[in-house]
Amino acid sequence: MEAAHGWEGGQKKNGQTTTGPAGRPAARGPWGGRRRGARWPPRRPRLLLSRRAPLAAPRRQWLPGRARPPGRPPKVPRGPAAAARAPPNARRRTAGPAAYPAQGPLIRISKPMPLLEKLFRLRAHDATVRTEVAAGATTYLTMAYIVFVVPATLSAAGLDKPALIAATCLVTAFSTALMGLGANVPIAVAPGLGLTAFFSYTLVLTNGVPWPVALGIGFWAGVLFLFLSLIGAREKMVAAIPPAIVAAIPVGIGALLLLIGLRNMGLVVANPATLVALGKFTPPVVVSVAGLFGTLALHIRRVPGAILLGIVGTTLAAAAAGLVAAPAAVFSSSISLAPVAFRLDVLGALRWNLVGPIFALFYVSLFDSLGTLVACAGAAGLGQPDGKIRGLNRMLNLDAVAAMASSLLGTSPSTAYIESATGIAAGGRTGLTAVVTAALFVGSLAVIPLIGVVPAYATAPALVLVGLLMVGEIRHLAFDKFEELVPALLTVFLMPFSFSIATGLACGLLAWGALRVLLGRWRDISPVLGLILVLSLVSLLL
């Protein structure tokens, strides 16, 4: 058996190994035999030593100073100074092969500029300048449609459209930069579409309030927002509003925007017999409908800037059909805010019959901003283990200041935009993203004549799409609790049917309170909520 495997001899006698030729110990195989043709004496295994063993560099290692020479492992920074310069999430080891785990090639992180690092703390947020700039551009492309939609909606109330375009760009730039520099968050702030519709179609066109007085109403809503924030009463008011009404507010605003968008498209027209009817398919209506479905297709395919591309495409189609005249100039020769800036009537807004609209604007701004800020800040990594958002109070205070500045410059109150989530998804983590977005809105001032030729039926599909997205929040209503569902649905339906956010909100609150009293659960009504119900009733009666 051993010969078959190429081994011979080699046995043990009394615990001693047999010898080979000339009394030399036999070279033994795995079964104790001597291997045929084995060399004697056997070679000793040589220990291979090198001056430096090759070690793979870590995949992500912070390197201060100059780049390392090729072929040499990186030096691991040591000492308290190096620890202070390193990002908090960097895992560095100080000695031995464990300092360089075999995880892949070295990636050097560039050192940000000192001013940007001081303002935005990029290293602490694990951010780079390139990523922040790209995220800011993404946010701008996603929400640039407001430069077309907001002026078109406010101009229906009699305000000068070129001045509104300039005011919208400046208000958005100021509010967004304020949020970026003051709170260091990648969140954009601009005039809200729901508040814009309430300003034009409810206050001015329906209730007959002069637009300077309407600007004053927006200003006092911002003052109330800021005052309650400073004295700490804002949290109590938020906690006092029933959750069912809070969930119904964005759904009702979305239904109102949907109705306004369909009317601006020409699909819905007034009818004395049935109140509303389907409009005729004239060339502008056909172009607008085609733009709506094109925008919907882009949004479903998750194309960045789908709403903006839909507005541009609809305008180009209308121009090709001869429905839009060419602009007199492409670039702005002068910018004037005089027709709308500082034209608000602050004292004229302090009337009892305008208390309801002031509170309505306050409530809508509060809940809209609160929901958007919580969602976007959580996505940006600002959430804490206890569920709270770091720096939320500062964000809300800055949002209130932005709302006051909006009224001063001649637009509807500003609010945080959910489109900021696209920039956060692109990697934005600091206020540098917001500053880049603000700078791009300032650049939009150069093409005001080009923006001014966009017709209302080209921006109407954007209102329809935004309204549909907001109506989708109806899934958060408690359909299994009828006592909660009825007030919520009254809030949702009365906003578009009364063409007023304030009326729908007041009716929903009063319905919730009335059901609690009739069911014998009047203890559910807190003192703060009771005061809100009294103010809601007064606003409906005046």
Side-chain angles (χ1 to χ4, degrees):
M1 178 66 71
E2 292 176 354
H5 290 277
W7 300 85
E8 58 185 19
Q11 298 180 4
K12 288 187 178 182
K13 293 182 179 181
N14 300 325
Q16 301 294 327
T17 306
T18 59
T19 59
R24 293 175 295 189
R28 300 186 178 277
W31 297 283
R34 183 174 65 85
R35 188 165 51 124
R36 185 181 302 161
R39 181 184 181 277
W40 183 260
R43 291 180 178 178
R44 293 183 178 180
R46 292 183 298 175
L47 180 62
L48 298 178
L49 297 177
S50 61
R51 297 177 60 186
R52 187 185 296 272
L55 297 173
R59 183 177 296 275
R60 191 174 181 86
Q61 175 69 40
W62 176 73
L63 285 179
R66 61 183 180 181
R68 65 181 179 88
R72 297 186 62 183
K75 295 182 179 180
V76 180
R78 296 188 177 95
R85 293 194 302 267
N89 58 349
R91 299 179 60 187
R92 298 177 299 173
R93 299 172 182 174
T94 56
Y100 314 107
Q103 295 179 356
L106 180 72
I107 298 178
R108 178 169 182 181
I109 302 176
S110 60
K111 183 178 180 181
M113 291 182 285
L115 179 60
L116 296 180
E117 175 62 27
K118 182 179 180 180
L119 289 175
F120 305 108
R121 292 175 289 133
L122 298 175
R123 288 177 180 169
H125 292 84
D126 195 19
T128 61
V129 176
R130 178 181 299 179
T131 303
E132 295 292 302
V133 171
T138 302
T139 303
Y140 170 78
L141 291 176
T142 308
M143 60 179 294
Y145 67 91
I146 66 170
V147 180
F148 304 93
V149 178
V150 172
T153 305
L154 291 177
S155 61
L159 284 78
D160 184 71
K161 188 174 182 180
L164 284 173
I165 296 173
T168 302
C169 294
L170 289 178
V171 165
T172 304
F174 170 77
S175 305
T176 304
L178 183 67
M179 188 67 71
L181 294 172
N184 195 23
V185 291
I187 297 176
V189 181
L193 291 184
L195 301 177
T196 302
F198 178 75
F199 179 96
S200 296
Y201 296 103
T202 300
L203 292 180
V204 179
L205 298 180
T206 303
N207 297 339
V209 177
W211 64 263
V213 177
L215 290 176
I217 292 174
F219 176 81
W220 285 116
V223 170
L224 180 62
F225 193 174
L226 182 60
F227 174 74
L228 294 177
S229 300
L230 294 177
I231 65 174
R234 180 190 56 214
E235 290 79 5
K236 296 181 180 179
M237 297 196 68
V238 172
I241 302 297
I245 304 300
V246 173
I249 289 174
V251 182
I253 296 175
L256 178 61
L257 291 178
L258 181 60
L259 177 61
I260 294 173
L262 292 175
R263 194 188 73 167
N264 291 348
M265 289 177 61
L267 277 179
V268 175
V269 296
N271 189 299
T274 60
L275 297 181
V276 293
L278 183 66
K280 297 181 179 179
F281 283 88
T282 59
V285 175
V286 173
V287 172
S288 185
V289 171
L292 171 62
F293 282 96
T295 306
L296 290 173
L298 293 174
H299 177 75
I300 293 172
R301 295 178 65 89
R302 300 183 183 275
V303 177
I307 298 179
L308 176 63
L309 293 177
I311 294 174
V312 174
T314 306
T315 305
L316 292 177
L323 302 176
V324 176
V330 177
F331 300 101
S332 305
S333 58
S334 61
I335 300 173
S336 177
L337 296 175
V340 295
F342 303 102
R343 298 286 301 276
L344 69 167
D345 187 357
V346 178
L347 298 180
L350 294 178
R351 297 201 304 263
W352 275 107
N353 60 338
L354 298 179
V355 171
I358 292 176
F359 273 92
L361 281 177
F362 165 73
Y363 286 137
V364 173
S365 300
L366 175 62
F367 293 117
D368 194 5
S369 298
L370 187 63
T372 302
L373 290 175
V374 170
C376 293
L382 299 178
Q384 295 179 346
D386 57 357
K388 297 182 179 180
I389 300 297
R390 185 170 65 252
L392 180 60
N393 288 335
R394 179 182 291 269
M395 296 181 215
L396 290 172
N397 293 340
L398 294 175
D399 190 70
V401 174
M404 297 166 58
S406 301
S407 299
L408 291 173
L409 293 179
T411 64
S412 56
S414 296
T415 184
Y417 263 69
I418 195 61
E419 282 81 0
S420 305
T422 60
I424 295 173
R429 292 296 179 270
T430 70
L432 182 57
T433 298
V435 172
V436 171
T437 304
L440 292 175
F441 272 104
V442 172
S444 301
L445 293 171
V447 290
I448 288 180
L450 196 61
I451 298 174
V453 301
V454 177
Y457 58 82
T459 60
L463 290 174
V464 173
L465 177 56
V466 174
L468 290 173
L469 294 176
M470 296 180 70
V471 169
E473 297 297 316
I474 197 172
R475 63 183 182 274
H476 296 300
L477 298 183
F479 287 92
D480 55 339
K481 298 180 179 179
F482 199 68
E483 68 275 11
E484 301 286 343
L485 182 63
V486 170
L489 292 181
L490 286 175
T491 304
V492 170
F493 291 120
L494 285 177
M495 283 188 185
F497 290 157
S498 65
F499 230 67
S500 171
I501 297 175
T503 301
L505 181 58
C507 291
L509 287 170
L510 291 173
W512 191 92
L515 284 177
R516 287 302 181 277
V517 173
L518 294 175
L519 293 175
R521 296 164 56 182
W522 54 270
R523 288 187 177 87
D524 294 344
I525 304 176
S526 63
V528 177
L529 180 57
L531 178 60
I532 294 174
L533 294 178
V534 171
L535 293 176
S536 299
L537 180 60
V538 170
S539 66
L540 290 179
L541 296 178
L542 292 179

